[in-house]
């Protein structure tokens, strides 16, 4: 079970939002590359970047900050990025620049043909981010709820050849209210590709609950607000996860 620190970028700074609301952002760092190195030093095995401005604009907006992170981290650990990635040229630019995984969210739901093409052109690099509330998928920076069931869409995308699925319960994200373990496990059990849990991680109890179910196909968990507020000690949490899933 890997713990994946999230670095959310808004106007070139590291921030956290509450339930995806751009007006409810807290700045946690002015230098994204410094933040990235901090998590690497604490034992992170992957980083999760989100271009928040890009997610709302539908095109990359924090490219220089993202580039600085990739240069700082180098080949040390894989980095994944989501937020406003809607065309193959953007994917190519990021992959060529050293990004290991590209996360496609809204565009996967609205333009499945694009996702199919991305999987075909960049096999092994594409992750789908499914954001949901009460089992229904949301798009456009969480502002629109669709009628799509999470599991149905995830199965379809699995057939396209995506690497894994990041599942976020948007009712909990940024609220420190606890991961929706039940829904995450249900999705993981329905798929043969790994699922990464996201949204609402509150503390060590969540890590222990997820580790107990790691065998169900949950590969990791994205750590957001909790590691910035100090509710979760990242280094200790990763060590604990290693203990619990070592066999």
């Amino acid at each position: 079970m890997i713990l994946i620190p999230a670095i959310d970028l808004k106007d070139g700074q590291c921030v956290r939002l509450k339930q995806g609301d751009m007006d409810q952002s807290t700045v946690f760092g002015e230098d994204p590359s410094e933040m990235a190195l901090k998590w690497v030093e604490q034992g992170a095995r992957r980083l999760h970047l989100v271009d928040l401005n890009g997610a709302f604009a539908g095109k990359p907006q924090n490219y220089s900050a993202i580039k600085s992170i990739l240069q700082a981290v180098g080949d040390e650990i894989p980095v994944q990025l989501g937020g406003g990635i809607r065309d193959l040229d953007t994917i190519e630019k990021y992959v060529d620049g050293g990004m290991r995984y590209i996360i496609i969210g809204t565009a996967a739901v609205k333009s499945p043909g694009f996702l199919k093409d991305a999987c075909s052109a960049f096999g092994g690099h594409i992750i789908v981010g499914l954001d949901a509330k009460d089992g229904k998928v949301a798009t456009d920076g969480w502002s629109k709820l669709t009628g799509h069931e999470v599991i149905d869409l995830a199965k379809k995308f699995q057939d396209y050849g995506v690497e894994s699925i990041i599942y976020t319960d948007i009712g909990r994200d940024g609220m420190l209210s606890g991961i929706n373990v039940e829904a995450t496990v249900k999705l993981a059990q329905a798929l043969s590709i790994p699922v990464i849990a996201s949204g609402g991680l509150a503390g060590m109890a969540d890590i222990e609950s997820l580790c107990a179910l790691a065998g169900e196909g949950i590969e990791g968990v994205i750590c957001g607000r909790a590691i910035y507020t100090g509710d979760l000690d990242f280094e200790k949490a990763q060590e604990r996860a290693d203990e619990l899933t070592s066999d």
Side-chain angles (χ1 to χ4, degrees):
M1 176 76 63
I2 58 167
L3 277 53
I4 310 170
I7 299 177
D8 289 2
L9 300 165
K10 180 187 176 192
D11 306 329
Q13 297 178 317
C14 304
V15 305
R16 294 302 299 166
L17 304 185
K18 280 193 177 178
Q19 294 187 311
D21 186 345
M22 287 288 268
D23 295 326
Q24 292 196 64
S25 66
T26 308
V27 176
F28 283 105
E30 307 273 332
D31 185 340
S33 58
E34 197 176 279
M35 187 67 77
L37 287 173
K38 171 188 168 179
W39 298 127
V40 172
E41 283 160 13
Q42 289 192 24
R45 291 169 204 160
R46 191 190 290 196
L47 292 176
H48 175 80
L49 311 186
V50 182
D51 181 346
L52 291 171
N53 303 98
F56 285 87
K59 56 185 181 181
Q61 300 286 308
N62 282 285
Y63 185 69
S64 58
I66 291 161
K67 194 175 169 187
S68 75
I69 289 171
L70 288 173
Q71 287 172 338
V73 173
D75 296 331
E76 205 159 337
I77 61 168
V79 181
Q80 60 193 40
L81 168 73
I85 299 167
R86 311 273 161 92
D87 60 75
L88 296 177
D89 287 344
T90 301
I91 296 175
E92 185 173 31
K93 180 181 179 183
Y94 279 129
V95 170
D96 286 351
M99 190 68 65
R100 178 77 60 87
Y101 300 110
I102 300 295
I103 303 159
I104 301 176
T106 293
V109 181
K110 291 186 160 182
S111 315
F114 160 61
L115 178 65
K116 212 175 211 175
D117 290 345
C119 289
S120 176
F122 303 98
H125 290 284
I126 306 300
I127 292 173
V128 165
L130 287 179
D131 306 325
K133 191 172 186 181
D134 303 324
K136 303 287 187 194
V137 173
T139 61
D140 300 276
W142 304 351
S143 60
K144 294 176 186 169
L145 267 184
T146 71
H148 296 294
E149 294 284 344
V150 172
I151 289 176
D152 294 344
L153 267 188
K155 282 182 171 175
K156 182 166 123 180
F157 298 155
Q158 173 177 275
D159 292 343
Y160 289 177
V162 302
E163 188 69 14
S164 55
I165 301 281
I166 295 172
Y167 175 69
T168 305
D169 184 322
I170 62 176
R172 300 180 183 224
D173 191 80
M175 303 302 289
L176 298 174
S177 56
I179 290 271
N180 189 337
V181 176
E182 188 184 347
T184 307
V185 170
K186 193 176 168 190
L187 177 62
Q189 288 172 335
L191 302 174
S192 58
I193 56 173
V195 169
I196 297 170
S198 170
L201 178 72
M204 198 70 92
D206 282 326
I207 301 296
E208 297 191 348
S209 298
L210 286 167
C211 286
L213 296 158
E216 301 293 343
I218 301 172
E219 176 183 44
V221 56
I222 291 168
C223 307
R225 183 172 287 272
I227 59 171
Y228 288 95
T229 58
D231 288 274
L232 184 72
D233 180 314
F234 179 80
E235 198 166 3
K236 285 182 182 165
Q238 182 62 75
E239 285 169 7
R240 179 69 179 138
D242 289 344
E243 279 171 26
L244 291 169
T245 55
S246 59
D247 6 319

